Amino acid sequence: RRVRMGHLAFLGSRRVNGVSALHTELMRKTVFGSLNAIYPDRIVNKTNGITFRRWLYQANPGLTSLIVDAVGPQVLDDTARLAALTPLADDASFRDRFREARRANKVALARLVADRLGIGVDPEAMFDVHIKRIHEYKRQLLNILETIAYYNAVRAQPTHSWVPRVKIFAGKAAAGYQQAKLVIKLANDVARIVNRDPVVRGRLKVVFLPNYNVSLAEAIIPAADLSEQISTAGMEASGTGNMKLALNGALTIGTLDGANIEIRDHVGAENMLIFGLTADQVAERRAAGIDATAAIAASSVLADVLSAVETGVFSPEDRGRYRGLVENLRHHDHFMVTADFDAYWATQRAAGTLWQDRGAWDRKAILNTARMGWFSADRAIMDYARNIWGAEPGQR
């Protein structure tokens, strides 16, 4: 016998918000399926938003100044006016100024990384950013495994024209979450090996910035080129980091999960890098079993990466450190890391190809910024006020 707090909250509420379209449907069908049948109008969707006053105007004054010059100061009070940037994506001069504004942020972040970690990173490299709470469903592990695969590929063909990358991680794990803490340890172990290897110098750096907080996020987000939003489909309620990064001109590499779906609808799928299983496909795979032995055997790239991790290549002082982590992936891959690995690897290579065409990349970056006005918290609060609370601005 136990109190089911979610159900109790549902019964005590006039409306229940799913905070993204996908999460709302999942609540209707799964978590609150029986209650939704009794109260079919109670669950609503008001996709959440972010405060542009902090995450663009305060965090990125250089880009804000460029936007105001381009479309007028009214944009500071009306985020819908960002859409006026859309035709400027085809203006080579504006693309150059947009890139320079973002490059200044990358220089500042490179300086911060050097000051805090003693690691030198090149602002001309792609800044590939994964910043969020450390959790298995957010799949920092998938990113780390792809980083190792990239490291292996560069070492195998050092004369190939690899796209220089800086893999930037930040986030905190819950105090008792042992697996998440092990993922943080692995990220730092990989960084230690990669950053000391002269073969990959100038092509790959790995950075884990500790003590992640809002102030650090304000330094990282304006400098990001690629935004990692790679959660297992169906498990992220919405996400707001995806909104903050896209608003500042980062291209999203991600699954169709949470608010990534609405971002795709507004920004355009052609201006994102989407991969992986859908929420329905994840459910089907889990129903069929979560042993990943066959998936690993079918991917030589993944098999090599897991072998390196399991045998202690990145933990030579404790070669058994990650044996359990790999065994868990091999036989209990609940979060579909192995199932999505090959698609993620291929999409990362597509990102590298796109990066080499800087005009095309910058055009997509500008369109991300231009089309993110809908994701303002002002719009979300107005939706609540009008459609849930029955209030209008100025009413008391």
Side-chain angles (χ1 to χ4, degrees):
R1 293 173 62 85
R2 63 184 64 181
V3 176
R4 303 179 73 177
M5 296 300 293
H7 290 68
L8 188 63
F10 185 105
L11 292 170
S13 301
R14 188 164 61 88
R15 291 288 184 270
V16 176
N17 185 23
V19 303
S20 75
L22 176 63
H23 193 242
T24 299
E25 284 305 306
L26 288 172
M27 287 205 307
R28 288 171 177 155
K29 294 176 181 177
T30 59
V31 178
F32 296 128
S34 56
L35 288 171
N36 183 58
I38 302 170
Y39 304 101
D41 299 323
R42 187 163 296 187
I43 299 176
V44 297
N45 174 225
K46 307 298 175 197
T47 298
N48 58 8
I50 56 173
T51 171
F52 284 33
R53 287 171 288 281
R54 176 179 290 276
W55 295 110
L56 180 59
Y57 311 151
Q58 177 176 308
N60 200 344
L63 182 57
T64 300
S65 178
L66 177 62
I67 291 170
V68 168
D69 287 346
V71 302
Q74 298 88 345
V75 72
L76 300 175
D77 296 312
D78 180 7
T79 59
R81 293 183 66 88
L82 279 172
L85 291 172
T86 299
L88 294 175
D90 293 315
D91 183 326
S93 174
F94 184 80
R95 288 199 303 266
D96 289 344
R97 284 179 285 154
F98 188 89
R99 184 187 312 136
E100 281 305 306
R102 300 195 73 262
R103 186 184 184 282
N105 298 325
K106 295 175 71 174
V107 169
L109 180 58
R111 190 178 302 117
L112 183 151
V113 170
D115 290 345
R116 295 194 182 185
L117 300 178
I119 299 172
V121 299
D122 182 4
E124 299 303 325
M126 181 197 294
F127 281 16
D128 183 344
V129 169
H130 202 163
I131 49 171
K132 53 185 75 252
R133 180 168 51 89
I134 310 298
H135 198 294
E136 288 169 276
Y137 85 83
K138 293 178 183 289
R139 298 202 296 190
Q140 286 90 354
L141 181 57
L142 175 59
N143 190 350
I144 296 167
L145 297 180
E146 191 277 334
T147 301
I148 295 170
Y150 192 62
Y151 172 65
N152 290 344
V154 175
R155 281 182 56 83
Q157 293 182 285
T159 60
H160 183 73
S161 58
W162 300 103
V163 171
R165 283 183 187 248
V166 181
K167 288 275 195 172
I168 299 172
F169 297 88
K172 294 179 178 178
Y177 196 167
Q178 192 272 339
Q179 197 76 347
K181 289 180 178 292
L182 194 61
V183 169
I184 293 175
K185 182 65 174 173
L186 178 59
N188 281 279
D189 279 346
V190 170
R192 180 183 55 175
I193 297 297
V194 169
N195 295 342
R196 293 176 180 175
D197 191 335
V199 175
V200 300
R201 185 173 296 140
R203 299 178 180 89
L204 178 63
K205 287 288 181 72
V206 182
V207 172
F208 190 102
L209 282 160
N211 300 319
Y212 183 59
N213 56 21
V214 169
S215 296
L216 184 55
E218 286 181 310
I220 298 172
I221 288 171
D225 295 306
L226 191 64
S227 166
E228 298 275 352
Q229 308 298 330
I230 60 175
S231 55
T232 310
M235 300 199 70
E236 183 70 77
S238 172
T240 56
N242 48 3
M243 302 173 191
K244 296 164 190 172
L245 286 149
L247 174 64
N248 280 274
L251 271 59
T252 301
I253 181 169
T255 52
L256 288 176
D257 194 29
N260 286 356
I261 295 172
E262 281 103 322
I263 292 174
R264 176 202 62 184
D265 294 343
H266 285 265
V267 168
E270 70 279 8
N271 298 310
M272 301 173 70
L273 295 142
I274 299 296
F275 74 94
L277 301 174
T278 65
D280 288 342
Q281 290 168 336
V282 167
E284 291 172 7
R285 291 287 288 259
R286 285 177 178 161
I290 56 174
D291 187 281
T293 304
I296 295 168
S299 172
S300 60
V301 174
L302 177 59
D304 289 346
V305 168
L306 292 180
S307 176
V309 174
E310 187 174 32
T311 57
V313 170
F314 298 96
S315 55
E317 72 285 0
D318 180 5
R319 292 195 174 273
R321 180 178 292 156
Y322 301 112
R323 192 170 296 131
L325 182 147
V326 173
E327 277 297 295
N328 189 61
L329 273 183
R330 186 172 286 123
H331 300 297
H332 304 282
D333 189 12
H334 180 74
F335 299 99
M336 300 291 140
V337 171
T338 59
D340 273 347
F341 178 85
D342 280 352
Y344 180 53
W345 168 256
T347 306
Q348 283 282 16
R349 305 290 68 74
T353 299
L354 178 62
W355 178 261
Q356 292 174 316
D357 184 346
R358 295 312 306 274
W361 183 285
D362 292 338
R363 181 180 184 277
K364 293 176 186 293
I366 293 167
L367 290 175
N368 269 264
T369 298
R371 295 172 178 175
M372 286 298 293
W374 186 82
F375 293 91
S376 169
D378 295 347
R379 184 273 314 158
I381 292 167
M382 193 65 73
D383 279 353
Y384 268 92
R386 289 174 173 163
N387 301 317
I388 295 178
W389 302 324
E392 284 291 333
Q395 289 183 344
R396 292 181 180 272

